[in-house]
Amino acid sequence: MGARQTRPVLPTDLAGLDIDCPRSPGLRTVLTDAHAAWAHAAVQAWGLCGMRSEQGSVVLVCPALHLPAGHPLQQWSRPAGAAHVLALSVAGDGLSGQVPTRWLVQSLARRLRGRASGLEAAGSRSGGMGDCTAAPAAWLEGAGFVVVEGSRGDGLVHLQLDLGHTVPWARGAELARRAAGRLLPSPWGSPEPTGRDLARREG
């Protein structure tokens, strides 16, 4: 269960992050700078600049206008209301990379839903672990992202996750919980009671 426990990332946390960016070594310095403009812009917009697990897996986000120079997402159009994934790094959680990715995205989406229109990310189709700025596209797709633009010759694709709708895997998890009769908290919070529910309570 420990890998499921996440908490927000704030600028003061950035210097202690262990992230690997072989494709963009210069960006690592910017991503771990507690004074970076992108981090403070994210906190001003959403109250956080990312999420991390207890084991050290981390996802970092920022507004469109504050993408650091040289980030892969700069090659595509950037919706102003979306949160842009700057980095996704999976630590030694003892799990396949797709599982921690899903938990991080679930946690981040829960925090940003209603405050950001969606998540934008760059993904890699080249295989392997990818890079902190472009995680394997398969991991992102498993977390609910969809490819909206293909490769531009560098093996990267542009992916989006619409926070205005229930993420398919989150809805599936909710249905599974109900079928099993377990009262576990939904990643999207408790649903509003329906008229039928209210009538039943009042009766």
Side-chain angles (χ1 to χ4, degrees):
M1 292 296 292
R4 290 181 183 269
Q5 298 176 5
T6 59
R7 65 177 180 83
V9 174
L10 299 175
T12 51
D13 300 318
L14 295 176
L17 296 182
D18 182 17
I19 56 177
D20 187 23
C21 306
R23 182 193 293 266
S24 314
L27 280 176
R28 188 185 185 285
T29 300
V30 178
L31 296 176
T32 55
D33 180 2
H35 303 289
W38 69 264
H40 290 273
V43 169
Q44 184 173 2
W46 309 304
L48 52 78
C49 57
M51 297 296 295
R52 70 181 302 183
S53 73
E54 287 187 343
Q55 287 71 24
S57 294
V58 63
V59 57
L60 302 177
V61 292
C62 79
L65 294 178
H66 291 82
L67 274 173
H71 194 280
L73 278 174
Q74 287 191 321
Q75 65 184 295
W76 294 295
S77 60
R78 302 185 295 279
H84 291 67
V85 177
L86 293 181
L88 173 64
S89 180
V90 174
D93 289 341
L95 301 164
S96 69
Q98 185 165 315
V99 176
T101 297
R102 179 177 293 188
W103 290 340
L104 285 171
V105 171
Q106 172 183 335
S107 181
L108 180 62
R110 181 180 176 182
R111 295 269 182 168
L112 296 182
R113 199 172 190 220
R115 302 161 73 185
S117 60
L119 294 171
E120 306 281 319
S124 173
R125 291 291 197 200
S126 60
M129 293 292 290
D131 182 85
C132 75
T133 61
W139 293 4
L140 296 168
E141 289 174 300
F145 282 83
V146 296
V147 176
V148 292
E149 294 183 80
S151 172
R152 294 196 173 185
D154 55 3
L156 300 182
V157 290
H158 179 199
L159 300 100
Q160 293 179 341
L161 189 154
D162 183 0
L163 296 181
H165 299 86
T166 302
V167 180
W169 51 258
R171 176 62 176 164
E174 178 69 17
L175 292 175
R177 278 192 290 267
R178 291 180 182 178
R182 291 180 291 175
L183 299 177
L184 297 178
S186 165
W188 304 112
S190 300
E192 293 295 325
T194 64
R196 181 182 299 175
D197 294 331
L198 292 173
R200 188 178 298 162
R201 292 175 190 174
E202 293 172 359

